[in-house]
């Protein structure tokens, strides 16, 4: 079996939800038997990891959507200005919800076609690549695979940079690069987690942590009030404008695990509007916190991509930093787990029973992530670059194109498992919206956004250099003069 084929197969089997504890109960759940929902409601095991309800999917979507991006949105507002900041958040939030809806429709289509052929998915977790492969063929599968893997790799790098950036605001006795070494070692412990148990509890905790942090940021900024001579001059430069816009495009691009979240549901058809409801909740976190911090600090944010750096040091802030660190550690694990599975399959270690052998085999995945985080410690700029070059395709362009190609024939439209939604009853209207998404994201997100974020990224490298010891840190105070 070739390494590439093994890698592809591994991704399919690498669901974040795949674990021994769920397997037993899930066989009946997948068929949508509701008695499982009521069965042993009060047992601990049920509370912790038998999560397949619409609520679980909502928690997973909401906590996956916002993590460290909360801290960079005020920076984006300083590049875009208040009006564009709010408008683009709402716009990309709705666009992201639309493409998540398309992914759910394609998943249902693929599953119903396969089930008509007699394929059973009781012990198999469907993933996005299989959906693309089943509906559109191997080339689409390869494209989906490439974009998703690279997206997850850089997603992990961003979590690591964010950990070091955040802890520095509690303890600045060590520089950020040293903190990156320390957190790289901490995050490397995720190699010992064979697969994910009790995802339900982590989603719940993760959402609690981001909710606390968002409201802390909003209240702290309002209590602090505006700094002396505050200026809100954005948008000033095209490069900054499109960099900020792309960071917002990235914010609402938490689709890397959409299919896995759906597949873990007892009734996947219920997923259709869950992502939209999750996004509406996320707006209650991102809009108040980003606007309040920008209102208070204005243009100062242009040189502070992490909002924590400007907020006064208090116990409330330290609590927010610690909660975000825990959330980032969890997110690092989520993003890395599919990559671990791929690597294990490539080197033929996936069936090894020994946890220690598997952990050793997985270390080569963590090392490049660690290394990249040390080379490019640019928190905000790297978010924008990932948004423009990876998220634009993975989250927006590929699902919209895939939907158009799947239903291009009249017979496919006639036999579609899911008809167009009530608010867009005709196929032509769906095509029009999909074309708009593809063209908009290709031109504005990938084109202008790619140009701007790479220009900004190169500028950061020129200013701070690669392997920057302490990116965007306060300059050291000069020693006191003795007369």
């Amino acid at each position: 079996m070739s390494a590439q084929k093994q890698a592809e197969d591994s991704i399919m089997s690498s669901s974040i939800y795949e674990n021994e504890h769920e397997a037993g109960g899930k066989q009946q759940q997948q068929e949508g038997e509701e008695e499982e929902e009521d069965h042993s409601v009060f047992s601990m095991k049920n509370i912790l990891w038998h999560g397949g309800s619409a609520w679980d999917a909502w928690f997973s979507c909401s906590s996956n959507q916002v993590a460290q991006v909360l801290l960079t949105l005020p920076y984006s507002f300083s590049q875009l200005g208040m009006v564009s900041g709010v408008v683009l958040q709402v716009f990309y939030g709705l666009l992201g919800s639309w493409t998540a809806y398309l992914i759910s429709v394609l998943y249902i289509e693929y599953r119903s076609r396969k089930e008509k052929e007699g394929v059973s998915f009781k012990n198999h977790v469907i993933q996005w690549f299989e959906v693309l492969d089943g509906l559109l063929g191997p080339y689409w599968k390869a494209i989906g695979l490439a974009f998703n893997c690279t997206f997850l790799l850089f997603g992990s790098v961003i979590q690591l940079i964010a950990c070091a950036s955040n802890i520095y605001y509690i303890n600045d006795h060590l520089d950020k690069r040293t903190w990156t070494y320390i957190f790289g070692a901490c995050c490397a412990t995720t190699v010992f987690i064979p697969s994910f148990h009790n995802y339900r509890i982590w989603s719940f905790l993760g959402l609690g942590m981001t909710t606390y942090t968002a409201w802390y940021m909003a209240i702290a900024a309002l209590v602090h009030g505006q700094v002396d001579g505050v200026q809100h001059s954005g948008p000033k430069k095209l490069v900054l404008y499109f960099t900020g816009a792309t960071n917002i495009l990235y914010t609402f691009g938490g689709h890397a695990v959409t299919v896995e979240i759906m597949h873990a549901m007892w009734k996947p058809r219920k997923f259709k509007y869950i992502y939209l409801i999750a996004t509406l909740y996320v707006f209650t976190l991102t809009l108040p916190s980003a606007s309040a911090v920008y209102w208070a600090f204005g243009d100062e944010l242009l040189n502070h991509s992490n909002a924590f750096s400007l907020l006064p040091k208090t116990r409330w802030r330290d609590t927010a930093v610690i909660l975000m660190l825990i959330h980032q550690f969890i997110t690092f694990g989520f993003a890395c787990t599919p990559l671990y599975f791929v690597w294990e399959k490539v080197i033929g270690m996936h069936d090894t029973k020994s946890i220690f052998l598997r952990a050793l085999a997985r270390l080569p995945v963590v090392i490049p992530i660690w290394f990249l985080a040390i080379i490019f410690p640019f928190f905000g700029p790297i978010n924008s670059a990932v948004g423009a070059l990876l998220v634009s395709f993975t989250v927006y362009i590929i699902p919209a194109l895939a939907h158009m190609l799947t239903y291009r024939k009249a017979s496919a439209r006639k036999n579609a498992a899911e008809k167009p939604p009530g608010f867009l009853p005709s196929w032509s209207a769906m095509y029009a919206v999909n074309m708009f998404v593809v063209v908009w994201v290709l031109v504005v997100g990938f084109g202008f956004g790619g140009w701007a974020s790479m220009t900004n990224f190169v500028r950061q490298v020129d200013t701070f250099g690669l392997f920057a010891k302490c990116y965007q840190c306060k300059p050291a105070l000069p020693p006191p003069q003795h007369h």
Side-chain angles (χ1 to χ4, degrees), residues 136-284:
L136 297 168
Y139 289 115
W140 279 84
K141 171 178 156 187
I143 291 167
L145 206 60
F147 274 109
N148 239 29
C149 275
T150 320
F151 178 32
L152 289 168
L153 176 82
F154 279 100
S156 308
V157 171
I158 288 168
Q159 298 310 323
L160 210 48
I161 298 169
C163 282
S165 177
N166 290 349
I167 191 73
Y168 179 79
Y169 300 117
I170 288 187
N171 180 338
D172 56 7
H173 297 309
L174 298 175
D175 59 71
K176 288 183 188 173
R177 188 169 66 196
T178 309
W179 279 120
T180 309
Y181 291 132
I182 294 167
F183 272 97
C186 293
C187 288
T189 57
T190 56
V191 297
F192 288 104
I193 304 171
S195 56
F196 273 97
H197 301 308
N198 49 357
Y199 191 70
R200 160 184 276 189
I201 200 79
W202 287 125
S203 297
F204 181 74
L205 289 174
L207 193 57
M209 291 167 189
T210 45
T211 302
Y212 171 89
T213 305
W215 284 107
Y216 152 73
M217 284 164 65
I219 294 163
L222 293 172
V223 169
H224 178 278
Q226 292 188 308
V227 293
D228 293 338
V230 68
Q231 283 188 306
H232 299 89
S233 54
K236 260 207 276 206
K237 295 183 183 148
L238 271 181
V239 169
L240 292 179
Y241 188 84
F242 284 109
T243 307
T246 314
N247 188 35
I248 291 182
L249 176 126
Y250 171 82
T251 307
F252 296 98
H255 297 36
V257 288
T258 303
V259 174
E260 289 88 340
I261 291 171
M262 278 187 77
H263 194 86
M265 289 176 72
W266 295 312
K267 295 194 165 178
R269 281 176 189 264
K270 284 186 177 175
F271 183 84
K272 283 188 287 194
Y273 302 115
I274 284 176
Y275 199 91
L276 175 63
I277 299 162
T279 301
L280 296 177
Y281 178 76
V282 167
F283 284 154
T284 70

Side-chain angles (χ1 to χ4, degrees), residues 295-307:
W295 168 82
F297 297 100
D299 288 359
E300 278 187 34
L301 282 157
L302 287 167
N303 300 315
H304 295 84
S305 51
N306 186 331

Side-chain angles (χ1 to χ4, degrees), residues 363-444:
L363 276 176
V365 177
V366 180
I367 290 162
I369 291 171
W370 202 353
F371 192 59
L372 283 167
I374 291 162
I375 300 179
F376 303 117
F378 316 125
F379 186 32
I382 205 170
N383 272 6
S384 300
V386 169
L389 307 177
L390 297 171
V391 177
S392 54
F393 284 94
T394 310
V395 172
Y396 299 96
I397 295 173
I398 292 173
L401 279 176
H403 188 274
M404 290 198 286
L405 289 171
T406 302
Y407 296 111
R408 66 189 181 279
K409 292 183 179 149
S411 57
R413 293 195 291 275
K414 190 176 171 217
N415 301 318
E418 284 280 328
K419 299 294 184 230
F423 58 90
L424 267 184
S426 78
W427 285 100
S428 321
M430 284 199 78
Y431 262 71
V433 174
N434 287 342
M435 266 320 291
F436 171 76
V437 172
V438 172
V439 173
W440 177 275
V441 177
L442 201 58
V443 175
V444 178

Side-chain angles (χ1 to χ4, degrees), residues 23 26-28 30-31 111 115 119-125 263:
K26 201 132 162 211
Q27 290 182 9
Q28 297 88 32
Q30 226 92 58
E31 305 303 312
R111 185 165 176 169
E115 283 171 350
V119 179
S120 164
F121 290 109
K122 281 186 177 176
N123 295 320
H124 181 90
V125 175
H263 194 86

Side-chain angles (χ1 to χ4, degrees), residues 98-155:
W98 172 255
T99 53
Y101 167 75
L102 296 181
I103 291 172
S104 75
V105 168
L106 293 171
Y107 165 89
I108 301 280
E109 181 67 39
Y110 168 77
R111 185 165 176 169
S112 60
R113 283 187 194 180
K114 286 290 176 197
E115 283 171 350
K116 277 178 195 162
E117 293 166 18
V119 179
S120 164
F121 290 109
K122 281 186 177 176
N123 295 320
H124 181 90
V125 175
I126 300 172
Q127 292 207 273
W128 180 224
F129 322 100
E130 286 172 293
V131 174
L132 288 173
D133 187 24
L135 297 176
L136 297 168
Y139 289 115
W140 279 84
K141 171 178 156 187
I143 291 167
L145 206 60
F147 274 109
N148 239 29
C149 275
T150 320
F151 178 32
L152 289 168
L153 176 82
F154 279 100

